[in-house]
Amino acid sequence: MKKVTILGSTGSIGTQAITVCETGGFPVVGLAALRNEELLEEQTRRCRPKMVCIFDESRYGSFKSRVADLDVQVVTGIDGLCALAALEDADLTLNAVSGMIGLRPTLAAIEAGKDVALANKETLVTGGELVMKAARDRGVRILPVDSEHSAIFQSLEGYRHCRVNKILLTASGGPFFGKTREELRQVTPETALRHPNWSMGAKITIDSATLMNKGLEVIEAVHLFGVRPEQVEVVVHRESVIHSLVEFEDYAVIGQLGVPDMKIPIQYALTYPDRMPCPTKRLRLTDYKTLTFFDPDPDTFVCLSAAFQAIRRGGLYPTLVNCANEALVPLFLQGKISFLQIGELVQEALSLKNDALVTVENILEAERQAREFVRERVSP
Ligand code: NDP
Ligand code: MG
């Protein structure tokens, strides 16, 4: 069985990944969290990993004493997280941290020759060129965990030599599907956090409500599958049963279906190219009766158009819009900006200028630029 390291083990994807590893018999050799010491300790006792990273340096001492009776190496900070991502014992690193902090650990895992199961889409949004090239050069696999990208990856199995016309990226539409801008003026964090189909971390749930999540996924698809932005079409599919599809040059369309449960794509990234029974419900199409499809509304959900524009421009523009959004979502959750301001300011971030080459250093500089822009535009 593949030995797995889980970055972001205390989160929504991370906890489901532990369930998948336990039921499937995959040894977990590394764990990482930002600050949730209690759950990280519980996971350390359960999984008995070789190395654990508590990223928040102020918690390093107290976490170390919590697990002092165990034979485990505790590390901290970005260097600790990168060391964990490259852990010698692991065959595969699952990156499920939230935000672009995931970029450097992804690169560290690739350099160490690990296959990477990638949930952290911000890694590809900001450093897609670097990551895909590093993976090719090092001969390792990037296995998508994001449900849509896992569906596309599965739809392409056996057809990698065939010409793709387009990718049909499905979107649930989030909690505000069909609403006008006027109706979205009074949205509170509480209503935005209520996703109809998926239970996820707070950041991605807000991104699903603004459709920024779908925008990030368009960029993710461009990098993962080597297509042009114009080849990615977003289709709103409220039921989240068809997880995405690929149209080939003969107009045959192949997709992947299943209940909306992230354990399926998480497990496939671990078992690839094989499959095994998954701890989830089975799909019964007759429970649904009908499946529906709509065009997205780009005038209301401006984040989606901003993401398309950013990837068409390329370079560091996806980083600028992504990092503006990463800075804006917590401000919305703290009640400091309105729901609509997220989209307005993400769009405005496109007017920032940065035509530098895509390198790790320049990505981090573009992140600072976007965060500075948000600080200036949102008075405390
Ligand atoms: P959560 O907010 O639920 O969890 C984030 C996890 O990352 C937590 O374990 C958190 O630790 C940890 N973390 C955050 N920053 C760091 C850091 N600097 N170092 C180490 N650990 C860190 O997020 P999700 O699980 O929802 O999402 C994770 C990623 O997966 C995101 O990129 C998201 O876009 C993607 N994704 C998620 C899906 C979902 O269904 N949830 C679906 C598809 C993609 P702590 O608990 O201590 O804060
Ligand atoms: Mg997704």
Side-chain angles (χ1 to χ4, degrees):
M1 292 307 264
K2 285 177 205 164
K3 290 187 241 156
V4 181
T5 292
I6 305 175
L7 313 183
S9 61
T10 53
S12 161
I13 294 286
T15 50
Q16 296 182 80
I18 290 188
T19 304
V20 165
C21 287
E22 284 177 344
T23 54
F26 296 95
V28 176
V29 293
L31 293 169
L34 174 58
R35 59 169 78 92
N36 187 345
E37 285 181 52
E38 206 167 296
L39 183 52
L40 191 59
E41 178 190 345
E42 191 195 309
Q43 293 178 337
T44 305
R45 293 191 181 279
R46 249 170 64 196
C47 302
R48 299 300 169 117
K50 306 254 170 160
M51 191 192 272
V52 176
C53 174
I54 179 95
F55 187 89
D56 179 349
E57 291 176 18
S58 70
R59 289 168 198 262
Y60 174 70
S62 66
F63 184 75
K64 215 168 144 60
S65 28
R66 275 174 181 264
V67 295
D69 59 315
L70 302 177
D71 182 20
V72 61
Q73 186 186 354
V74 181
V75 295
T76 185
I78 187 68
D79 293 339
L81 191 60
C82 289
L84 181 74
L87 187 65
E88 201 183 329
D89 269 303
D91 302 306
L92 180 137
T93 302
L94 167 62
N95 189 346
V97 305
S98 59
M100 67 161 290
I101 189 76
L103 175 61
R104 280 182 286 173
T106 301
L107 290 168
I110 295 169
E111 273 157 36
K114 312 288 168 197
D115 284 343
V116 179
L118 198 57
N120 178 254
K121 59 191 84 185
E122 296 88 345
T123 278
L124 287 174
V125 170
T126 56
E129 290 95 329
L130 301 180
V131 169
M132 296 313 289
K133 179 170 185 316
R136 271 193 308 273
D137 291 351
R138 196 66 179 75
V140 301
R141 292 190 179 112
I142 305 294
L143 299 155
V145 169
D146 210 348
S147 56
E148 296 78 1
H149 304 76
S150 176
I152 297 160
F153 186 80
Q154 294 179 58
S155 304
L156 288 167
E157 265 313 285
Y159 301 109
R160 298 212 188 263
H161 58 289
C162 298
R163 223 163 77 208
V164 168
N165 278 346
K166 62 180 176 182
I167 283 173
L168 296 155
L169 191 70
T170 52
S172 73
F176 305 132
F177 170 72
K179 302 267 187 242
T180 61
R181 281 184 74 73
E182 203 42 49
E183 288 169 313
L184 294 184
R185 243 168 246 297
Q186 303 306 329
V187 164
T188 61
E190 205 206 340
T191 49
L193 283 170
R194 244 180 264 137
H195 195 278
N197 302 346
W198 299 95
S199 155
M200 311 177 284
K203 196 259 177 184
I204 181 173
T205 305
I206 299 303
D207 288 351
S208 300
T210 59
L211 291 204
M212 185 68 188
N213 181 52
K214 212 43 59 180
L216 299 178
E217 290 184 357
V218 168
I219 302 174
E220 189 184 3
V222 164
H223 290 300
L224 269 174
F225 305 114
V227 293
R228 296 185 308 279
E230 308 77 71
Q231 287 176 284
V232 185
E233 184 179 321
V234 174
V235 182
V236 176
H237 165 48
R238 296 294 284 156
E239 297 78 15
S240 300
V241 165
I242 303 179
H243 297 303
S244 281
L245 316 103
V246 177
E247 184 195 274
F248 291 92
E249 66 176 326
D250 58 355
Y251 305 133
V253 177
I254 296 187
Q256 182 252 332
L257 286 70
V259 292
D261 184 335
M262 288 305 296
K263 289 197 285 302
I264 300 175
I266 292 169
Q267 180 175 293
Y268 187 65
L270 303 189
T271 58
Y272 176 84
D274 300 316
R275 295 182 187 267
M276 62 160 73
C278 184
T280 185
K281 286 197 304 202
R282 292 165 76 172
L283 175 65
R284 276 172 51 98
L285 280 172
T286 47
D287 286 349
Y288 289 86
K289 307 280 189 279
T290 46
L291 297 178
T292 58
F293 306 94
F294 304 89
D295 284 322
D297 168 2
D299 300 327
T300 305
F301 298 98
V302 294
C303 285
L304 181 59
S305 351
F308 261 110
Q309 279 181 55
I311 186 64
R312 274 194 216 105
R313 276 196 222 168
L316 293 167
Y317 288 94
T319 299
L320 290 172
V321 293
N322 172 72
C323 295
N325 181 62
E326 279 192 32
L328 289 162
V329 170
L331 294 174
F332 167 67
L333 290 173
Q334 293 156 20
K336 292 185 179 150
I337 59 168
S338 71
F339 182 75
L340 288 180
Q341 272 179 295
I342 302 177
E344 287 161 10
L345 290 168
V346 162
Q347 223 177 9
E348 253 188 65
L350 275 173
S351 60
L352 294 170
K353 215 171 154 42
N354 191 333
D355 292 314
L357 286 178
V358 178
T359 62
V360 173
E361 212 167 82
N362 292 342
I363 290 169
L364 298 177
E365 180 51 38
E367 178 189 19
R368 277 191 287 275
Q369 188 184 359
R371 287 187 181 274
E372 179 62 29
F373 157 79
V374 169
R375 254 195 308 277
E376 278 169 12
R377 296 291 283 102
V378 181
S379 39

